[in-house]
Amino acid sequence: MQQAKISFDENQINFLNMYRELGFKDKSSLVRSAIQEYIRSVEKQKLIKSAKLYAEMYKEDSELQDLTNSAIEGWPNEVD
């Protein structure tokens, strides 16, 4: 695993020093977990933004709405 030198303010250091109480084996695992959580958050925000853009496009495109409606017409198929 690669190492990096980073700086923290006093509040962040105090938080890092609570790593055991937070269930981590060391400060590094706490920081890695926080970074992974942040990555997930950023990816989620990208998906939300993308979904909103697609929803806007869909709302303004009557041809696409018609195509979608025709594709779902009669779905799910009724069982006789």
Side-chain angles (χ1 to χ4, degrees):
M1 198 170 297
Q2 293 186 357
Q3 293 185 351
K5 182 177 178 179
I6 55 177
S7 300
F8 298 102
D9 66 28
E10 188 175 339
N11 287 334
Q12 294 163 336
I13 292 294
N14 290 337
F15 184 79
L16 283 172
N17 286 332
M18 295 174 22
Y19 69 91
R20 282 189 191 103
E21 292 89 352
L22 297 169
F24 295 93
K25 68 177 184 165
D26 55 32
K27 295 173 187 175
S28 293
S29 60
L30 170 56
V31 172
R32 284 191 301 271
S33 178
I35 291 172
Q36 277 308 122
E37 186 62 32
Y38 182 72
I39 290 170
R40 282 190 287 275
S41 173
V42 168
E43 291 300 318
K44 181 178 179 181
Q45 290 305 312
K46 285 181 187 178
L47 287 172
I48 290 169
K49 184 178 180 180
S50 176
K52 286 180 180 179
L53 287 172
Y54 277 111
E56 270 183 46
M57 290 171 51
Y58 181 80
K59 184 178 178 182
E60 296 171 4
D61 189 338
S62 60
E63 273 187 53
L64 182 56
Q65 292 173 21
D66 291 343
L67 178 64
T68 303
N69 289 333
S70 69
I72 62 172
E73 195 171 297
W75 185 87
N77 293 331
E78 293 182 14
V79 178
D80 292 326

